[in-house]
């Protein structure tokens, strides 16, 4: 089969019926395996759900916390333990019911029980209570500096739902956002339409903060797992926006009259997430062998091909960020298979396969895994590559019996505590005692200089205990229809202010 024929088949497989003229068609990397953003840290879930489910706070264009369903930033007691939050009045859910403090309290309590980020902070929360119909109070057992950032994040989100739909599983997906779900055909499309009862904020749009304007009548999110199909659909005019595009498509998009590239620089970091709960990598020497063997330069070049799109860089944050430091970085990019073999001998390794769970929907994940496999085998590891679709990866990584490493990535986030990998309650289960003490001190401290010093200690622990492995830093490529306006470059692109010419 010719590549052109394959692309044609790929495009037709993801074609959807035409509806309103003022519709934005957005190609995403795959099916969102849940429409409840509390239950997932996957970017694709955040991208779609932020249009119909909202939080008390969000971030503005400069990553400052800003109010969304809250009236303003909270009143915080002098001891830093009590947050009093006034709620906007007149907010209506998609089912026609009005939002009040009972809905918010019940939603936040579910967040502490069900969401990975909520569970990570649950033991710091003394109570979540309604003061009156329009005011909520959160009392902490001790100061907790990342709380507002956690409440603002659309990923493992502290989403607000009507109290009546709450349970371990929601009885319905009912939010307050500018769009509501019209129809969902899994693996084909998620169709959203304007919510006529939406109450936008009065402020000017400022990143995700401020007014969320319903410029499009409908938004359709179309799962397109093949990255080349996403590129071709963008260039042909089938899609108004496409996420997660391969670096090598940049020139074609830039030269096209139909589309234009959207480059996120810097975007984030690829991660080898390590299983500390079960299997081979519960042994520190095996983890150190893994760390010693990996050739980061080769992995990043294989993943991105063009050094305009990547940097081999050890610290957890890039140049210019307040959190950047060099603690522990001498252990990065060793590319020393002989040293890895010595560490495997010390561990008494007997050839049990190292299971790497990855997906081709993010092609750079797979390419990194291929290079890693060769280097690890050279060091003496037996390697088992489990290549699945992204939705299946999201399910399997919840069971520690099924993987040793899963490959993921994260944008650089303004608050390190938003990165759930540091927490013992994450899927990784990294619970080393000294790291736990450092993390507790980091999240309790309120002085910025003290927090920066503690984060350096936390980064050192990542390298010395091999909590997880940052492979490098990278820029990300998206694409949009030529002349499209209102889509700010973001790891989680949003389309309430977007208009396609």
């Amino acid at each position: 089969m010719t590549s052109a024929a394959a692309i044609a088949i790929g495009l037709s497989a993801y074609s959807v019926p035409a509806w309103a003229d003022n519709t934005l068609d957005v190609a995403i990397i795959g099916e969102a395996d849940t429409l409840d953003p509390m239950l997932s840290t996957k970017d694709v879930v955040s991208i779609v759900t932020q249009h119909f489910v909202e939080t008390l706070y969000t971030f503005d264009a400069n990553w400052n916390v800003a109010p969304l369903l809250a009236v303003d930033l909270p009143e915080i007691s002098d001891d830093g333990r009590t947050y009093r939050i006034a709620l906007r009045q007149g907010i209506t859910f998609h089912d026609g019911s009005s939002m009040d403090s009972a809905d918010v309290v019940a939603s936040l309590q579910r967040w502490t029980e069900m969401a990975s980020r909520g569970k990570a902070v649950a033991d710091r929360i003394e109570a979540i209570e309604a003061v009156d119909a329009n005011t909520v109070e959160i009392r902490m057992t001790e100061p907790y500096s990342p709380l507002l950032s956690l409440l603002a994040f659309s990923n493992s989100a502290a989403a607000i739902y009507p109290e009546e739909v709450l349970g371990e599983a929601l009885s319905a997906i009912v939010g307050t956002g500018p769009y509501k779900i019209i129809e969902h055909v899994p693996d084909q499309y998620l169709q959203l339409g304007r919510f006529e009862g939406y109450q936008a904020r009065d402020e000017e749009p400022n990143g995700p903060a401020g007014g969320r304007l319903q410029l499009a009548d409908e938004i359709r999110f179309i799962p397109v797992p093949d990255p080349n199909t996403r590129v071709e659909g963008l260039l042909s005019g089938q899609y108004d926006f496409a996420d997660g595009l391969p670096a090598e498509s940049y020139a074609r998009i830039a030269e096209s009259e139909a589309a234009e590239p959207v480059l996120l620089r810097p975007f984030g970091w690829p991660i080898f997430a390590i299983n500390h709960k079960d299997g081979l990598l519960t042994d520190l020497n095996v983890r150190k062998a893994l760390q010693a063997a990996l050739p980061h330069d080769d992995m990043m070049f294989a993943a991105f091909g063009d050094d305009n799109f990547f940097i081999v860089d050890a610290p957890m944050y890039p140049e210019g960020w307040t959190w950047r430091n060099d603690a522990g970085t001498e252990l990065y990019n060793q590319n020393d298979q002989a040293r890895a073999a010595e560490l495997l001998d010390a561990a008494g390794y007997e050839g049990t396969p190292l299971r790497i769970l990855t997906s081709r929907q993010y092609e750079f994940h797979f390419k990194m895994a291929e290079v890693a496999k060769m280097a690890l085998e050279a060091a003496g590891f037996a390697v088992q590559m489990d290549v699945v679709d992204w939705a299946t990866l999201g399910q399997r990584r919840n069971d520690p019996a099924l993987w040793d490493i899963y490959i993921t990535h994260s944008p650089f986030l303004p608050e390190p505590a938003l990165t759930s990998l540091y927490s013992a309650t994450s899927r990784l289960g990294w619970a080393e005692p000294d790291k736990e003490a450092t993390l507790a001190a980091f999240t309790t401290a309120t002085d910025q200089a003290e927090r920066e010093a503690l984060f350096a200690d936390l980064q050192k622990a990542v390298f010395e205990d091999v909590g997880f492995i940052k492979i490098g830093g990278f820029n990300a490529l998206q694409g949009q229809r030529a002349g499209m306006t209102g889509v700010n470059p973001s790891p989680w692109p949003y389309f309430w202010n977007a208009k396609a010419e």
Side-chain angles (χ1 to χ4, degrees):
M1 180 184 294
T2 66
S3 58
I7 289 168
I9 291 173
L11 289 173
S12 64
Y14 296 99
S15 61
V16 294
W19 285 294
D21 291 336
N22 187 16
T23 298
L24 298 178
D25 285 320
V26 179
I28 53 179
I29 65 101
E31 178 71 15
D33 56 353
T34 178
L35 297 181
D36 179 0
M38 275 195 195
L39 303 185
S40 179
T41 58
K42 291 165 69 172
D43 290 342
V44 69
V45 173
S46 295
I47 289 170
V48 301
T49 58
Q50 64 186 328
H51 293 81
F52 48 86
V53 178
E54 295 183 315
T55 48
L56 293 174
Y57 299 98
T58 187
F59 293 102
D60 67 18
N62 295 314
W63 289 104
N64 299 307
V65 175
L68 183 55
L69 291 175
V71 172
D72 208 336
L73 295 179
E75 296 178 15
I76 304 176
S77 62
D78 291 341
D79 63 5
R81 292 179 48 204
T82 301
Y83 294 70
R84 180 163 288 201
I85 302 169
L87 306 176
R88 293 170 61 201
Q89 299 183 39
I91 300 298
T92 305
F93 289 106
H94 298 161
D95 65 359
S97 62
S98 296
M99 183 190 79
D100 62 19
S101 58
D103 301 306
V104 174
V105 168
S107 295
L108 294 182
Q109 288 174 339
R110 179 179 184 264
W111 178 67
T112 66
E113 297 166 0
M114 302 291 295
S116 61
R117 290 189 173 86
K119 288 189 287 187
V121 72
D123 62 353
R124 310 285 188 97
I125 296 177
E126 181 179 295
I128 304 171
E129 294 178 346
V131 176
D132 56 40
N134 301 304
T135 312
V136 169
E137 191 170 89
I138 302 174
R139 295 197 301 277
M140 310 298 291
T141 60
E142 57 188 353
Y144 189 73
S145 46
L147 180 62
L148 289 184
S149 293
L150 288 170
L151 293 176
F153 204 18
S154 63
N155 186 286
S156 187
I160 305 303
Y161 299 106
E163 184 179 14
E164 292 75 18
V165 307
L166 297 177
E168 185 169 334
L170 299 176
S171 61
I173 305 295
V174 180
T176 60
Y179 291 86
K180 63 181 181 179
I181 298 172
I182 303 299
E183 184 177 19
H184 182 208
V185 181
D187 296 316
Q188 293 188 42
Y189 58 84
L190 173 65
Q191 180 193 4
L192 307 182
R194 284 179 180 162
F195 172 42
E196 298 302 334
Y198 183 65
Q199 296 294 320
R201 294 190 67 91
D202 294 334
E203 302 95 332
E204 288 295 313
N206 181 6
R212 297 184 169 186
L213 310 179
Q214 301 161 298
L215 299 187
D217 294 328
E218 294 181 355
I219 303 170
R220 285 200 300 262
F221 292 100
I222 306 164
V224 185
D226 180 71
N228 292 318
T229 304
R230 294 196 294 276
V231 172
E232 298 303 328
L234 177 70
L235 293 174
S236 70
Q238 183 173 3
Y239 309 131
D240 297 293
F241 191 95
D243 189 34
L245 303 182
E248 57 268 24
S249 66
Y250 181 88
R252 286 189 65 207
I253 298 170
E255 294 166 2
S256 167
E257 295 183 358
E260 54 196 30
V262 178
L263 188 62
L264 285 73
R265 184 198 299 266
F267 172 80
W269 44 300
I271 302 160
F272 273 32
I274 289 175
N275 188 343
H276 292 261
K277 296 179 180 180
D278 190 22
L280 275 178
L281 296 179
T282 56
D283 186 310
L284 177 57
N285 276 326
V286 179
R287 296 201 301 275
K288 288 182 175 180
L290 166 68
Q291 181 183 57
L294 293 178
H296 293 243
D297 298 85
D298 294 341
M299 293 166 68
M300 293 299 288
F301 186 79
F304 299 101
D306 182 341
D307 57 13
N308 288 317
F309 280 87
F310 74 89
I311 183 172
V312 179
D313 186 48
M316 296 298 152
Y317 279 86
E319 293 282 357
W321 289 65
T322 187
W323 303 109
R324 185 175 176 88
N325 68 85
D326 292 326
T329 56
E330 67 277 2
L331 296 172
Y332 176 77
N333 196 22
Q334 297 172 56
N335 194 12
D336 188 343
Q337 288 78 43
R339 173 61 179 153
E342 293 172 359
L343 289 162
L344 285 180
D345 286 342
Y349 177 67
E350 296 180 345
T352 301
L354 178 73
R355 297 161 300 171
I356 301 177
L357 180 61
T358 190
S359 170
R360 299 199 72 157
Q361 282 162 265
Y362 290 108
E363 185 70 9
F364 71 95
H365 291 187
F366 176 74
K367 290 178 178 178
M368 287 189 302
E370 286 188 307
V371 174
K373 180 176 185 290
M374 291 187 288
L376 291 167
E377 288 175 340
F381 280 98
V383 179
Q384 175 182 317
M385 290 267 284
D386 294 330
V387 184
V388 298
D389 63 81
W390 190 241
T392 301
L393 185 148
Q395 295 166 356
R396 289 193 184 180
R397 67 182 181 175
N398 291 326
D399 185 347
L402 298 180
W403 58 278
D404 297 301
I405 295 166
Y406 72 81
I407 301 179
T408 186
H409 65 270
S410 172
F412 295 112
L413 302 174
E415 163 57 57
L418 291 175
T419 301
S420 60
L421 305 175
Y422 296 108
S423 172
T425 62
S426 79
R427 294 178 184 86
L428 281 62
W430 183 32
E432 195 278 327
D434 289 343
K435 182 273 300 181
E436 286 294 284
T438 300
L439 182 61
F442 173 72
T443 56
T444 303
T446 55
D447 178 76
Q448 181 62 21
E450 182 183 1
R451 295 195 79 216
E452 289 172 21
L454 286 164
F455 182 69
D457 293 339
L458 187 59
Q459 178 177 288
K460 185 177 181 181
V462 171
F463 286 105
E464 292 186 348
D465 199 57
V466 199
F468 49 85
I469 298 177
K470 175 191 176 185
I471 306 304
F474 72 104
N475 303 325
L477 180 63
Q478 302 163 337
Q480 66 182 21
R481 182 183 295 276
M484 189 172 184
T485 59
V487 184
N488 296 324
S490 170
W492 309 281
Y494 47 89
F495 303 94
W496 46 75
N497 294 330
K499 183 178 182 181
E501 298 295 336

